[in-house]
Each structure stands twice: as C-alpha cells, then as structure tokens.
Amino acid sequence: MFKRILFLAKPHSFLLLLSILSSLAFVFFNSLSIWLTASFISNILSDFETLKIAQEELIITEDRSVNQTLKMWSNNLFLDDSAIGTLKRLCYSIFIIFLMKNIFLYFKNYFSGMIQLKIINTLRNSLFNHLNSLSLSFFKKSNTGKLTSIVLNDVDIMKNAFSVSFQKLLVEPINILTFVSLLFFIDWKLALYSLVILPIAFSLMAWVGLSIRRKATRSTKQIAGIVSILQEVLGAIRIVKAFVMEKSEKRKFSKETLKYFNLQRRQIILRLASPPITEMIGVIMGVILLWLGGQAVLIDNSMYPEDFIRFILILFSILKPIKTLNSVNVDMQTAFASAERVFSIIDTKSNIIEIANPIKINQLKSSIEFDKVFFKYEDSSINILENISFSINKGEVVAVVGESGSGKSTMADLIPRFFDVDQGKIKIDGHDIRELEKKSLRSLMGIVPQETILFNDTIANNIGYGKKGINKNDLIKVARVANALNFIENQPMGFNTIIGDRGIKLSGGQRQRISIARALLKNPPILIMDEATSSLDSESEKKVKKAIERLMKNRTVFVIAHRLSTIVNANKIILLKKGKIIETGTHKDLLNNNKDYKKLYDVQFGIG
C-alpha cells in the first residue's frame, strides 16, 4: 500500500529531491545544535585553561577516534583566546546553527507538504475519473453512501494523515540513525545498552499500529453506513414525515453513530497511551545509562564529563523522533485503512471494454437490430432478457410495453451500451455496437428518462448539459419547442435561475420539459424514451405530450410505454413478459389478435 502511494509521488520527483536535501540539511544542523549545546554546558562548567590544553592535545594526537575528531572540529569553531571570547563565539555559533536548522525545517515541511497535496489531489481526481469510467453494473451493486464516503471521508483521512506523516517519515528515521551513530562515536558500550530501547519501542509501535489499522478499517465502513442513512433520510424526508417515522430514524441514526463512537474511543485509547509508554521506556533506559555513565565519570574516570553530557543530551534527543514516528505510525495505519478502500475502487475494472481501433459512427443510416439477445445482471443467475430479436428501421417509432420487471428498461440500457449482452448482438447499421467507439455511439442518442435527472445548476446549464458554445437563441428555441419557455421566463432570473438539487425548485412537469429541451438541443438521430407522463397532472401531461411529439419528429425512437394511449401510432409495439417477446405488431394488429396486449389494454381502459 505504501509503495502504491509512493508511486503517486513519482511525477513530483524534483520536489521530492528538494525535500530530501532539505531534510538532510535539517538533520545535520539539528545534530550540530545538540553537539554544540553540550559544548556550551561544558564550557560553562569547565576551567578555560583545561579546555585549551585538551584541545592542544587533540590537535597533536595522530590516532584520533571519530569522537575526538568531532570534538576537535567543534572546538576549532568556538574556542578563542579568552573564556569570554569563547563564550561569545559559542553563542554566535549556536544562533546561526539554530537559524539554519529552522530555515531547512521550513523548506523540508514546505516541499513535502506540496508533494502530499499534489498526491491527494491527483488521487481524488483519479478516483472520481475512474468512477465515471465504470459501467452501470458497478453502481447497481454499490451503495451510494459508501462511494460518497470513500471520495470525501477516506481521501480526506489520507490527506490529514499524510500532511504531517509524509514530512516526518523523511526526516525522523535519518534523525534516529544520526543520533545513534553519534552515541557509538562517543561510547560504543553505553550505546549498545541504549539500543535496547529501539526494538522495544518499535515492537510497541507495530502492535499499536496494526490494532489501530483494524479499528480504522471498521470506522471507515461505519461512517459510510452513517452517510448512507443520512442520504436516504434527507432524500426521503417527505415520506419520513408522512409516516411519522422521525423517532425511528433518529434511533437508527443514533445506533450507528454510537458504534462509530465506540470504534473511535478505542482508537483514541491506543493513540494516547502509546507515546507516554514509549517515553517511559526511554526514561527508564536513560536513568540506567545515567547511573552507568555517571560511574564511568566519577569513579572509573574512563569517560570525560563533556562526553557524558553530550551522550545524555543525544540519548534523550532520540526519544522525540521515536515518539514522533510512533504517532506517524498511528496516522499512517489509519491512512492505509482508508487507502485500501480508495484503491479497491481504483482497482475495479469496467466490464464495458472498448476494443482497439473502434469504429467511429456519426449517423444512423438504416436500422438498429437486436439479434437473439440474452442478458442477466452480474449478481443474478436469472436472465432478464431471453432470445430478444427485433429491428428498428430509421425513422420508425418502436414501443415496448409490459408489466413492471419484464425487462423494458434493461432493453433500453443495452442500446447505448450501458451494459453488454451475455449472448447475441445489438447492431447499428450492421455493426455490433461492441465494435463501435462508445463516445460516438452515445453521441447519436438522446435519452429522456421517466425520473428526470437535473443538476443543482442554472436552467441554461441543465439544458445545455454536454454541449459547448451554446448561445441564448439556441436555448430559447429548444425551450419554446419543449413548451418550457413561458415558465422559464417567469423564474426569478430566467435561464440563470438555480433550480436546486435534482431540480427540486421546479414541478414534475417543468422538470420533464427541461429534460426534453436538453434532448432537443443535442438533436440526436436516435431517441430513447421512458414515457414520463404517468405521474403528472392532466395540464402538465398535455404540455409534456406536445413537447414529446415535437421531440420525436424525424427521429428513430425507442420508447418504453406505460400508457398504451400514447403509442397507438407507433410503427411497432413489442409486448414483453418475463424477459421474452410474446407479441409484436401495430396497435391495431395487437388488439385484433385478442391476446395479452388486448387484455392489458382492456385493464388500462376499464373494458370488460
């Protein structure tokens, strides 16, 4: 998972290089600041003449240790002819080194912060783009609340975690390695004792991290459930109030939030307990080393006081990056739990695959043909459509009727290739639609669904959806043909009126006419309609019917009919029953056959 996230940083390798260089510079000046702080304390506590003699001995010594060489270099930096001059130089040196340390700290954080922002931005865009590329079958089996939670919450969790973690992951391991090296340079025996803290601390970090990751995974799933409930209730608030279900929905919501609270509480317990435990392990080791090192200075005289001070300062300085890595580990495990959900979406492949070098199509020349088509949904073993064969000639109106669940809408979804057939073929002008470029195929089609889908945008942008460079005259023209111009002009801001989520500020008939205007503006040669007048009042139905009649002129139309009175003039009517075609013909022919269509007609019109 971490490798996949790092791979996202590859396009930003220059920023990554700058961040690494800044991190190395920061570690250098940070270590130097601790080293000189020990020198400062030693300078205050020691006799100046003793310091000068010790420095002269270091200079003439040929076989110096690394520790002695480092001491000689640092003494050269600040030792002067007098104690007060030495103190002054030491103060200047510490000021400059701390200044450089903080300058590189800023650059390190800035560059790594920019990388993190770019990675998260790329990831969110990739996730959204990939969701748009997936077929309808994916959305049929996916929960909208879960997908919303992944795009918003999970990506945001990753952003928050990486905003700090990405910076510290670069510098803290280098800090620890540098400090440990310095400890070995000063006294390798004491350094070996001090290393006991590292495996204990890292083992604790690993255990806490894994536990938090498991709980974070459950938390992200739980918040998705909460988002889902929220969307359902807000989307159906009228029904909730009509059935007096407010208390029931409140209880359901509270139950889910309580589960989320308990998961978060357990994460907090682990998150907050880990740093103090890690620090106490370090303090215990520090006390032991104080005792051992103190004996080496006071009794055995095997260690210089300055070295001991420096050793203890560096040892306790290691605790901070270890604690930081511990908190980073907690944040990273939480981020990985979210990353797993994000990448699970990105790894999902669309089952509507476009072949290499597909055929581009820009018009319908002769016909649309269903040739022995079978279809079932991915999660079902039952065929929705069985052995469907018929054709729609250019300029014809073909209507499909049948009881609910007979497969009418599925048949309509197969034409623009929202789904692929399991067996058989759907052809346009003799070409299997799987051989056609998806974009060019769908550009031939205008779709007017029964449930009008509009966006929380202006009327103009909803009508012009999918088109570029639309002028006001075009909008007025299609709005007039769609019987929508009068009510649009009566809106507060005309075509620039925001219509709310799913067009909630408009009536059902007004929404349908906006949808019809949108289809008219696209001016498609093929029209797929799910008859949309069944839920409208009589006045709205009249206006929508007139708009539909104008929309259907000179087009090849596939219409799903709910009211048989609207399709009496269709060139062909297909009656579906349990996914099979049981009757085909004109309205007159089917009535004369006196079979299922006649029974359906009689039921609708109360005959017999």
Side-chain angles (χ1 to χ4, degrees):
M1 191 63 63
F2 190 64
K3 283 168 70 177
R4 289 193 69 171
I5 294 165
L6 282 181
F7 183 76
L8 295 172
K10 191 176 179 181
H12 317 296
S13 54
F14 181 66
L15 278 177
L16 185 59
L17 176 63
L18 290 176
S19 183
I20 291 170
L21 292 175
S22 299
S23 298
L24 291 172
F26 166 75
V27 169
F28 171 75
F29 284 108
N30 186 43
S31 302
L32 190 55
S33 67
I34 295 169
W35 189 276
L36 287 186
T37 300
S39 298
F40 178 82
I41 295 170
S42 178
N43 186 44
I44 295 295
L45 298 178
S46 302
D47 177 68
F48 178 68
E49 292 302 323
T50 305
L51 283 175
K52 287 192 71 175
I53 292 168
Q55 175 67 356
E56 288 168 2
E57 289 177 354
L58 284 174
I59 292 171
I60 62 175
T61 301
E62 293 183 1
D63 189 19
R64 287 188 297 267
S65 66
V66 175
N67 181 41
Q68 289 173 324
T69 303
L70 290 174
K71 283 168 64 177
M72 185 188 72
W73 287 346
S74 60
N75 287 339
N76 282 337
L77 183 66
F78 64 80
L79 270 179
D80 200 12
D81 296 332
S82 64
I84 195 67
T86 299
L87 181 61
K88 185 188 293 185
R89 289 178 67 173
L90 188 56
C91 289
Y92 284 143
S93 300
I94 289 174
F95 173 78
I96 292 169
I97 287 166
F98 270 86
L99 177 65
M100 296 302 295
K101 167 189 165 182
N102 283 284
I103 288 172
F104 283 108
L105 173 65
Y106 170 78
F107 283 123
K108 167 188 77 73
N109 291 342
Y110 173 76
F111 291 131
S112 57
M114 288 301 296
I115 294 167
Q116 167 257 322
L117 286 175
K118 287 177 180 289
I119 287 174
I120 293 300
N121 188 57
T122 301
L123 188 61
R124 182 176 271 126
N125 288 339
S126 297
L127 181 59
F128 182 77
N129 293 343
H130 188 69
L131 280 170
N132 273 281
S133 72
L134 294 175
S135 61
L136 284 185
S137 59
F138 170 80
F139 297 97
K140 275 189 171 290
K141 62 186 180 183
S142 298
N143 182 283
T144 305
K146 175 186 172 184
L147 296 178
T148 304
S149 178
I150 289 172
V151 174
L152 298 179
N153 296 323
D154 286 296
V155 174
D156 204 50
I157 287 169
M158 291 176 69
K159 178 181 76 67
N160 293 337
F162 290 138
S163 62
V164 177
S165 303
F166 203 81
Q167 300 160 15
K168 292 178 179 176
L169 273 176
L170 280 172
V171 71
E172 301 305 355
I174 305 172
N175 249 336
I176 292 172
L177 186 61
T178 304
F179 289 149
V180 169
S181 300
L182 290 175
L183 291 180
F184 273 93
F185 293 154
I186 296 169
D187 192 302
W188 67 270
K189 289 181 181 178
L190 282 179
L192 282 176
Y193 288 127
S194 68
L195 284 185
V196 173
I197 188 178
L198 294 181
I200 296 174
F202 288 128
S203 297
L204 178 66
M205 287 163 55
W207 176 78
V208 170
L210 288 173
S211 182
I212 283 191
R213 185 167 179 173
R214 289 193 297 269
K215 289 171 176 58
T217 300
R218 292 199 290 270
S219 293
T220 52
K221 290 179 180 178
Q222 189 62 33
I223 197 68
I226 292 171
V227 172
S228 181
I229 292 172
L230 186 63
Q231 285 183 332
E232 285 180 356
V233 171
L234 295 180
I237 193 68
R238 185 175 295 176
I239 299 298
V240 172
K241 290 184 177 295
F243 284 83
V244 198
M245 288 294 288
E246 291 97 334
K247 285 187 177 179
S248 175
E249 294 298 340
K250 286 176 185 176
R251 282 195 300 271
K252 189 196 299 183
F253 191 78
S254 296
K255 186 178 177 182
E256 294 301 310
T257 54
L258 180 60
K259 290 179 184 176
Y260 183 68
F261 167 79
N262 287 329
L263 286 168
Q264 291 287 294
R265 179 174 56 81
R266 290 173 200 149
Q267 284 187 63
I268 287 173
I269 290 170
L270 285 169
R271 185 189 295 268
L272 296 181
S274 182
I277 291 171
T278 305
E279 182 167 315
M280 283 311 300
I281 293 169
V283 168
I284 290 167
M285 283 305 304
V287 170
I288 293 170
L289 290 170
L290 269 173
W291 173 251
L292 295 174
Q295 289 185 75
V297 173
L298 298 174
I299 299 172
D300 302 333
N301 293 319
S302 59
M303 191 176 191
Y304 290 108
E306 181 186 352
D307 289 338
F308 179 61
I309 293 170
R310 188 171 282 124
F311 188 95
I312 292 301
L313 282 175
I314 292 172
L315 177 66
F316 281 97
S317 295
I318 290 178
L319 293 179
K320 183 183 177 183
I322 290 175
K323 282 175 64 180
T324 301
L325 276 184
N326 187 37
S327 63
V328 166
N329 178 53
V330 169
D331 290 337
M332 291 297 288
Q333 295 303 330
T334 304
F336 288 154
S338 292
E340 284 174 354
R341 285 160 58 79
V342 170
F343 285 122
S344 71
I345 301 296
I346 292 176
D347 291 340
T348 302
K349 304 296 181 185
S350 174
N351 54 13
I352 306 298
I353 300 169
E354 191 168 84
I355 64 169
N357 303 314
I359 300 167
K360 290 187 179 181
I361 186 171
N362 53 27
Q363 61 179 317
L364 175 67
K365 295 178 180 177
S366 59
S367 66
I368 303 168
E369 182 185 356
F370 277 65
D371 182 11
K372 298 177 182 177
V373 167
F374 287 76
F375 177 80
K376 63 176 177 293
Y377 290 112
E378 283 183 19
D379 54 353
S380 174
S381 58
I382 301 170
N383 281 326
I384 302 297
L385 298 174
E386 289 188 22
N387 200 27
I388 301 295
S389 294
F390 69 93
S391 62
I392 310 172
N393 294 322
K394 182 179 179 180
E396 282 188 340
V397 176
V398 172
V400 181
V401 299
E403 61 189 15
S404 179
S406 60
K408 303 186 297 296
S409 295
T410 302
M411 194 184 293
D413 285 340
L414 292 176
I415 300 173
R417 208 184 164 202
F418 292 152
F419 303 94
D420 272 339
V421 300
D422 294 324
Q423 296 178 46
K425 295 178 181 178
I426 298 175
K427 302 180 204 174
I428 291 184
D429 294 340
H431 298 293
D432 188 329
I433 60 172
R434 288 170 291 194
E435 299 172 356
L436 303 178
E437 183 190 60
K438 282 190 291 185
K439 184 179 178 181
S440 66
L441 169 68
R442 292 170 185 172
S443 67
L444 295 179
M445 301 174 189
I447 300 174
V448 182
Q450 181 181 18
E451 182 186 357
T452 307
I453 299 171
L454 299 177
F455 298 92
N456 186 19
D457 205 339
T458 63
I459 291 174
N461 287 341
N462 271 283
I463 293 175
Y465 189 72
K467 298 281 283 186
K468 293 180 181 179
I470 304 302
N471 60 50
K472 187 74 176 285
N473 290 334
D474 293 329
L475 292 173
I476 291 171
K477 182 179 178 181
V478 296
R480 181 179 288 115
V481 176
N483 264 341
L485 187 58
N486 286 340
F487 86 78
I488 291 173
E489 289 179 337
N490 289 329
Q491 295 298 311
M493 298 183 69
F495 280 95
N496 293 320
T497 302
I498 302 288
I499 60 175
D501 188 28
R502 289 179 167 266
I504 196 169
K505 294 181 181 178
L506 304 177
S507 70
Q510 289 171 338
R511 289 196 295 269
Q512 266 302 343
R513 282 176 276 164
I514 293 291
S515 178
I516 290 166
R518 181 168 62 195
L520 280 165
L521 190 63
K522 186 176 182 181
N523 195 26
I526 301 169
L527 186 62
I528 299 172
M529 297 185 60
D530 193 345
E531 188 191 28
T533 60
S534 55
S535 60
L536 302 178
D537 59 78
S538 55
E539 185 62 30
S540 295
E541 184 180 347
K542 283 181 184 177
K543 291 176 180 177
V544 171
K545 273 186 176 179
K546 286 181 181 177
I548 288 173
E549 286 169 6
R550 293 168 183 168
L551 177 63
M552 291 169 64
K553 276 185 181 178
N554 304 316
R555 301 183 203 281
T556 305
V557 182
F558 179 91
V559 57
I560 297 171
H562 301 279
R563 292 186 179 182
L564 301 186
S565 59
T566 63
I567 55 164
V568 292
N569 296 320
N571 299 97
K572 187 187 296 180
I573 298 171
I574 297 169
L575 178 60
L576 275 184
K577 189 172 184 179
K578 295 181 179 179
K580 298 177 182 177
I581 296 177
I582 58 172
E583 289 185 63
T584 304
T586 63
H587 174 72
K588 186 176 179 181
D589 292 338
L590 293 175
L591 283 181
N592 291 335
N593 286 344
N594 201 28
K595 293 182 181 178
D596 289 78
Y597 182 84
K598 177 68 164 60
K599 292 176 186 176
L600 189 64
Y601 183 85
D602 291 346
V603 168
Q604 280 201 13
F605 290 92
I607 300 172

